[in-house]
Amino acid sequence: MFDGGLTMSFHKVNCPPVVGNLSKIRSQCRTRPNPCFAVQMSSTLVQTDENGDFYESKKISGSSSTELKSQPQNSLLSQANTVGIIGGVSVLSTLIFLEKLVWWSSRNGEECVPFVVCSEPALDGGRRPVHSSEVNGEHIIIQNLRQKRIFLEKSGARCIVMPCHISNAWHDEISESCSLPFFHIGDCVARELKEAKLKPLDAGSSVRIGVLSTCETIAVAPYQQKLQNQGFEVVLPDKETREHILMPAVESWNQRDIEGARNLLRIAIQVLLIRAVNIVILASDVLQNILPREDPLLKKCMDPMDALARTTIKWAKSAKKVRRKT
């Protein structure tokens, strides 16, 4: 949790909305307790023009606001280690990532990593498109996310991250022509697992990594390719496990059958562990929320957002040291 003396400064951005007939993915997130901390906030509301340039429109401090008019600026932030964050399908999951970023980077008395957030809660997802209309919808999503990336670059960000399982499926397209470090969540996970020097549980086989997701294809893709590139064997739930255990677990959770959801998810994880899987990646916000934190099965699971946060903090601290030396 944040301590009471923490002061947070953030920028809320209002960028061009997604256009087209796109369905919204329903946010399925854990009901989290209200953090018991006092946070002083100073935020700048900014808007972009049709070229993606931005101008300051309002200054908010506490409960009062004053209209400010100014010329377009070249950048909002000047720190060498500013992190640009493209928010994902779930706004709450973006906030959870920010909680990790803020708390982990400042828990030893150090300054919090500076960041600017561009939230994008309206994405069409669940699978790769098949029909031409879906392909056009995917193109619109990619263009919109690319505009967000360009906005963050102009705002002064020195690296880009997307704390979203689905958005990272289009990482290559979104990062095209980007001159900044743009961390892929799958790379972060694969790198940490490689550094862990895991041993195969079955003699003569590769190290196996399981992946569970509520989106059968699109949310798995960012991890499957990156893990295979590092020499891991990726194990996914079979059709029966997915249809009769995993998805019913999500349905039970949505219907507030907490114990039923937990029992079903435990079975889904055990099914993969029986197949000699070393670690199970929970590539879904809702799956991350089902089991209580003290559940022993979570020791066999990995939250990809943890790996992304650790990678981001490591980069930010390194960039800060380089700036000091120069």
Side-chain angles (χ1 to χ4, degrees):
M1 306 300 291
F2 302 105
D3 65 69
L6 176 65
T7 299
M8 183 189 300
S9 177
F10 69 93
H11 296 275
K12 179 181 178 183
V13 297
N14 181 15
C15 290
V18 178
V19 294
N21 184 20
L22 303 180
S23 61
K24 292 187 178 180
I25 297 178
R26 181 175 56 190
S27 300
Q28 299 173 343
C29 301
R30 168 178 51 192
T31 301
R32 295 169 59 88
N34 292 328
C36 299
F37 59 87
V39 181
Q40 299 177 9
M41 296 186 178
S42 175
S43 66
T44 302
L45 301 183
V46 295
Q47 296 179 335
T48 56
D49 59 23
E50 60 184 5
N51 297 317
D53 294 323
F54 55 88
Y55 58 90
E56 190 173 37
S57 60
K58 291 183 181 180
K59 182 71 176 180
I60 297 179
S61 179
S63 59
S64 62
S65 62
T66 304
E67 287 287 342
L68 295 176
K69 296 185 179 294
S70 63
Q71 298 297 322
Q73 306 170 53
N74 292 326
S75 67
L76 282 171
L77 305 174
S78 59
Q79 293 94 325
N81 61 339
T82 297
V83 178
I85 302 169
I86 301 176
V89 172
S90 167
V91 175
L92 182 55
S93 67
T94 303
L95 292 176
I96 292 172
F97 174 79
L98 289 175
E99 180 181 339
K100 298 176 189 290
L101 189 69
V102 172
W103 175 235
W104 291 353
S105 66
S106 60
R107 61 184 172 183
N108 294 323
E110 301 180 57
E111 292 182 354
C112 167
V113 170
F115 60 86
V116 57
V117 182
C118 193
S119 182
E120 178 52 272
L123 292 176
D124 189 21
R127 59 190 176 86
R128 283 286 184 176
V130 176
H131 304 295
S132 59
S133 60
E134 294 176 318
V135 172
N136 182 60
E138 183 183 58
H139 174 74
I140 293 172
I141 293 170
I142 292 171
Q143 286 296 107
N144 185 267
L145 290 172
R146 190 177 291 149
Q147 287 180 0
K148 304 272 185 294
R149 187 214 82 204
I150 293 171
F151 174 84
L152 290 172
E153 290 176 301
K154 292 182 178 181
S155 73
R158 301 300 179 89
C159 85
I160 306 292
V161 298
M162 288 190 298
C164 176
H165 306 286
I166 293 176
S167 298
N168 276 270
W170 301 297
H171 183 278
D172 290 346
E173 295 91 333
I174 298 167
S175 63
E176 185 179 354
S177 76
C178 180
S179 60
L180 303 177
F182 194 150
F183 300 127
H184 188 296
I185 194 170
D187 277 329
C188 299
V189 168
R191 187 181 304 112
E192 285 198 358
L193 292 176
K194 192 71 174 180
E195 292 173 354
K197 300 185 183 302
L198 301 172
K199 303 296 183 182
L201 299 182
D202 276 350
S205 67
S206 302
V207 174
R208 294 171 180 163
I209 306 298
V211 180
L212 288 179
S213 174
T214 54
C215 296
E216 186 175 5
T217 55
I218 196 168
V220 172
Y223 304 103
Q224 188 167 16
Q225 179 183 3
K226 301 298 182 179
L227 289 167
Q228 290 173 343
N229 290 345
Q230 290 292 339
F232 296 109
E233 180 182 347
V234 178
V235 179
L236 304 177
D238 55 31
K239 182 179 179 181
E240 289 73 21
T241 300
R242 178 173 180 80
E243 292 182 355
H244 301 297
I245 301 176
L246 186 61
M247 298 316 296
V250 175
E251 292 172 5
S252 296
W253 180 258
N254 292 336
Q255 295 170 6
R256 300 187 182 278
D257 178 8
I258 307 303
E259 196 57 35
R262 289 174 174 174
N263 289 334
L264 287 169
L265 180 55
R266 290 184 182 111
I267 295 173
I269 294 172
Q270 291 285 9
V271 168
L272 292 183
L273 294 177
I274 291 174
R275 297 170 65 183
V277 161
N278 292 69
I279 296 292
V280 177
I281 295 172
L282 299 180
S284 162
D285 294 328
V286 66
L287 296 182
Q288 287 289 342
N289 299 330
I290 292 177
L291 294 181
R293 294 185 179 183
E294 66 275 9
D295 195 298
L297 266 183
L298 287 180
K299 294 180 180 179
K300 288 290 186 178
C301 298
M302 182 178 188
D303 182 351
M305 297 304 164
D306 290 349
L308 182 62
R310 285 189 288 263
T311 298
T312 304
I313 292 170
K314 183 178 180 180
W315 171 87
K317 290 184 176 180
S318 176
K320 186 176 181 179
K321 290 179 180 178
V322 170
R323 176 64 178 269
R324 285 178 176 176
K325 290 181 179 179
T326 58

